[in-house]
Amino acid sequence: MKRILFLGVSILLATASNAQVIFSGVSPASIAGNYELTYGEPTSGWGSDDLMDPANSVLGELALYDDANNYGCLNPSNPGDLAGKIAVLYRGDCEFGLKGLNAEQAGAIACVIINNVPGGPIPMAPGDNGELINSIPVVMISDVDGAALVAAMDNEPVTVFIGNKAGYYEYDLGIKASEILRPVSSSIPLALVENG
């Protein structure tokens, strides 16, 4: 009995320790993979939904937020392009919360802020407007990752996933963040099948 209990607790801990919020490129293949991120958490003053809950995950196409300098501090000149998509904009000129709020009000389903200085993403304070965001997630990625995504957006639609993937995909084992999905037949992991 102790062994069964120990095994159950071990599996639960392994699954919980691997549950994490990710920013993952889905398509095209040139941008596929996970990217380093920071995100606005409700526990730190953001009004957005908790990204640790897989139900709040977002899968969508990226669209560049078009204002004077792509900073998201002003109303966008392309709200129709942002509606139902993930707004992409740059860090700078105004607080992170205002950027997220402007993206949400333009109809975006999420907001990705690209660091405008060399380096990785930094923690984001909500400022005066972060708590006004109703539900969209606000994340930040590095300048290098952002440049790769924007370059890909110039050529074709770019789709990304933001959130906790545990249980989001039908055949995902959810044990590791390695993105290996279990195929319908449950025989060989999909990543191995596709790898020549």
Side-chain angles (χ1 to χ4, degrees), residues 144-179:
V144 173
D145 291 340
L149 291 175
V150 171
M153 289 168 62
D154 288 340
N155 299 318
E156 58 192 312
V158 173
T159 302
V160 300
F161 173 86
I162 302 169
N164 184 344
K165 75 177 189 78
Y168 187 82
Y169 295 106
E170 183 178 2
Y171 299 111
D172 190 347
L173 291 172
I175 295 171
K176 294 171 43 177
S178 63
E179 298 183 334

Side-chain angles (χ1 to χ4, degrees), residues 33-121:
N34 288 347
Y35 296 81
E36 182 183 4
L37 83 153
T38 59
Y39 61 97
E41 300 179 67
T43 56
S44 60
W46 289 86
S48 56
D49 292 332
D50 184 8
L51 280 175
M52 283 301 293
D53 182 350
N56 297 325
S57 298
V58 175
L59 176 69
E61 184 181 330
L62 299 179
L64 194 60
Y65 190 106
D66 190 12
D67 63 359
N69 50 18
N70 304 115
Y71 281 4
C73 300
L74 306 171
N75 290 328
S77 61
N78 64 334
D81 294 340
L82 298 174
K85 296 185 180 169
I86 299 172
V88 176
L89 43 93
Y90 290 89
R91 173 184 173 197
D93 284 1
C94 63
E95 63 186 37
F96 298 118
L98 180 60
K99 294 172 185 292
L101 183 62
N102 285 344
E104 182 176 69
Q105 290 175 344
I109 59 172
C111 177
V112 175
I113 300 171
I114 299 171
N115 199 347
N116 67 344
V117 297

Side-chain angles (χ1 to χ4, degrees), residues 135-153:
S135 61
I136 72 167
V138 179
V139 302
M140 178 184 274
I141 60 175
S142 74
D143 61 318
V144 173
D145 291 340
L149 291 175
V150 171
M153 289 168 62

